[in-house]
Amino acid sequence: MTLPPTDAEFDALQDRATSPDSGPTFGEVLQRRMGRRDVLRGALAGTALAAGLGPALVAHDAAAQGASASGAAAPAGGSFPFKELVRVADRTHHVAEGHQTQVLIRWGDPLFQDSPAFDPLGQTAAAQLRQFGYNNDFLGFVPLPQGSRSADHGLLCVNHEYTNTEVMLPGLVPQGQERIDWSRYTREMAEVEMAAHGASIVEVKRGADGAWAYVRGSKYNRRVSALDTVFEMVGPAAGHNRLKTSADPTGRRVIGMFNNCAGGITPWGTYLSGEENIDGYFVGKIDQSHPEQRSHDRMGLPSGRNPWGRFFDRFDVNKEPQEPLRYGWVCEIDPYDPAAMPRKLTALGRFKHEGATPVVNGDGRVVVYMGDDQRFEHVYRFVSKGRYDPADRKANMRLLEEGTLFVGRFDADGTLEWLPLVHGQGPLTAENGFRDQGDVLIDARIAATLVGATRMDRPEDVEVHPRTGKVYVTLTNNEDRRPEGANPLSAVNAANPRPANIWGQIVEMIPPGGDHAAARFTWELLVKAGNPEKPETGASFNPATSANGWFACPDNLASDGQGRLWVGTDQGWGWIRASGGADGLYGMETEGPLRGTARLFFQTPVGAELTGPCFTPDDRTLFVAVQHPGVDNVEKFTASGLSATFEDPGSRWPDFDEKMPPRPSVVVITKAGGGIVGT
């Protein structure tokens, strides 16, 4: 029997490129456009800071949750005047001096009055469906009452991306070993994991004492799961023959969503959630002659991280070869109506969605920006056909069903062309395998490459600046970049001079006159991540960035009401190589003489990822999600010196109870004594 990949192996699988080597890479374009100017900028950043190799791995425990050594004061005139953290890697979390943290809700916490207490040794699907899910990612806050600007009372919308089986479930890894013994894995365990996926909608309130609490038993509380939640397929691909299965001959109903990463909140108060690494949920292998093989190959299907297909036919591509086509979409959920059926928006295309950031354009059309998180994939934009009406929420709920999907081509002259993915235009014809618009959207990746979109370095979250209208996209990393003389599509260049780019970068996309529907933008490079004290990395930060402020592997983005950009990182299993410190949240200057300066504000426990930064409307509360604490590459922190397991994790955050495994959780950050977070 072929064993499913471990977490580390699956992480590596997600990094492999499935995009064909055709068309210029973003790195080549960047070299032609940015070469001399960015080399100078990188040299300046590399010499402006004190010499040294950067912080070494620090393995220690803070005496108190949230305590840490203080870093440097902020540069004069900066937007982030907090005292910066010192980069560390230990078993707890840390926040900048003058701020305080509170764990708001944890995996397994009861959501309803009849929810059972969390029992890590006696988990059941029935219990998990009534409890907060696992690996919280995107967070969105919508105020209560509906339509208000309340900053003290609202609904928290939370993605539950995936599960770490060996750390979530007891008894699966034999003592002294590092791999799951899959003969111990049961259908009941699979159902628990499926129930832990999806989303939670949770009512939250700030009390008179300033502390936040979630409301157990709220009429708004809801669990959306991969196990039993029915979704409606809407848009041009709904009902398509390729979306029909034996369980759903209509092609319009699908059970569940999974691997939901980043997302967005619409102007009409719904919650967008993007399905990302769907390949890990399917097993089997269809014949190369099968009509869906091209589609499966382009999505990396199947990689079989979760062996659910042993128990459920819909996850076995030999039995249901079209089932995977029903995943990889942006989902829309109405948090104000727990009875409303969630929907999958086929007009926004199918790929590995990271983020779905909406903005109302000046002409009233709604634009949604999206990244496709895999090496050499693309950046997308959807423009609605209809226009937003603030007085007609019902009509607004249909806006994302019809419009045009575009993909970006970053040209060497600094322009960004948005290429429409429309059936019958250019190569998107029957001769190339696209019989209709449904085919184009189902195979958006294939269509994007055919029209000449730029192959990017893992596009992840996208954020629209609330004041300037500029659009930022994180490119997390791309270790497939090769040395000079290799394939020119992946060779090093002046702007990406590292044979293995393990640090990533942030690109700024500039709509002309703030017109997000324009066919042509311009673009700039905001920063190249990595340690600027090491010239060989080619990192480019503003020289005012301290030895603790630079970061690696930018992922999630957020803007606050002050017009400040915040960057969360995801270094994954390579965090020791990338920075030597745990993942965190950084304030990022985007304008003025300090443009390109970053400051470390919050750090996660070791082995965790910082996700979902989200502010209340008054900027006095920041919610962040900490997922998979004590899991990624924590052999220096486990008692056995082996990979993390349920019995021996790298941290038992946030409970620090020997009877409890690590629990992904939402953390509230406020300023001590009140005030704007990050000041």
Side-chain angles (χ1 to χ4, degrees), residues 125-149:
Q128 181 63 84
L129 289 172
R130 310 296 287 171
Q131 298 165 338
F132 192 69
Y134 199 84
N135 270 349
N136 31 223
D137 198 291
F138 170 80
L139 304 176
F141 179 85
V142 294
L144 285 173
Q146 184 176 347
S148 73
R149 289 282 297 170

Side-chain angles (χ1 to χ4, degrees), residues 156-403:
L156 204 59
C157 307
V158 186
N159 280 354
H160 297 299
E161 186 177 4
Y162 66 100
T163 50
N164 296 98
T165 307
E166 66 275 32
V167 181
M168 177 186 181
L169 299 173
L172 287 177
V173 181
Q175 186 174 0
Q177 298 187 27
E178 296 188 279
R179 299 193 72 105
I180 292 174
D181 178 356
W182 289 101
S183 68
R184 303 181 181 184
Y185 190 77
T186 65
R187 179 187 177 98
E188 290 72 25
M189 291 177 177
E191 290 176 340
V192 169
E193 290 199 87
M194 293 166 69
H197 281 69
S200 292
I201 313 294
V202 187
E203 182 178 353
V204 294
K205 285 184 176 181
R206 178 161 50 188
D209 60 354
W212 284 82
Y214 77 92
V215 181
R216 180 174 177 175
S218 164
K219 67 178 182 179
Y220 295 106
N221 289 357
R222 182 179 189 181
R223 277 301 321 279
V224 173
S225 82
L227 180 63
D228 64 358
T229 304
V230 178
F231 283 72
E232 179 187 11
M233 307 289 289
V234 298
H240 198 281
N241 282 335
R242 296 176 64 195
L243 297 185
K244 296 176 180 179
T245 65
S246 58
D248 173 32
T250 70
R252 295 179 180 273
R253 293 288 187 273
V254 58
I255 296 175
M257 66 181 194
F258 43 73
N259 215 268
N260 293 71
C261 202
I265 299 295
T266 66
W268 49 94
T270 58
Y271 154 39
L272 302 181
S273 178
E275 295 180 299
E276 192 188 36
N277 297 320
I278 64 165
D279 52 303
Y281 299 86
F282 295 91
V283 300
K285 189 72 174 177
I286 58 177
D287 188 86
Q288 288 293 322
S289 63
H290 193 282
E292 295 302 346
Q293 187 58 51
R294 180 178 80 150
S295 180
H296 287 2
D297 285 347
R298 194 68 172 83
M299 289 290 282
L301 280 154
S303 57
R305 174 63 184 91
N306 295 68
W308 297 347
R310 287 167 48 188
F311 312 109
F312 301 92
D313 287 352
R314 67 187 177 107
F315 295 111
D316 185 338
V317 297
N318 295 305
K319 298 175 180 177
E320 291 289 354
Q322 295 185 175
E323 183 73 11
L325 308 184
R326 294 145 63 85
Y327 301 90
W329 304 97
V330 171
C331 307
E332 184 175 21
I333 302 168
D334 185 355
Y336 293 112
D337 183 0
M341 182 180 293
R343 309 180 314 148
K344 296 197 177 187
L345 306 171
T346 66
L348 276 63
R350 175 177 168 268
F351 43 89
K352 292 184 178 181
H353 284 277
E354 173 86 18
T357 303
V359 61
V360 178
N361 198 41
D363 61 5
R365 288 182 291 173
V366 176
V367 176
V368 181
Y369 291 99
M370 300 165 285
D372 184 353
D373 183 10
Q374 198 162 353
R375 294 176 186 178
F376 298 118
E377 291 303 335
H378 310 299
V379 176
Y380 295 82
R381 176 192 73 174
F382 170 82
V383 180
S384 70
K385 179 179 179 180
R387 287 168 167 75
Y388 172 67
D389 181 352
D392 193 345
R393 187 172 190 260
K394 184 177 180 181
N396 295 333
M397 296 278 283
R398 316 300 295 188
L399 285 176
L400 302 185
E401 295 182 20
E402 188 175 6

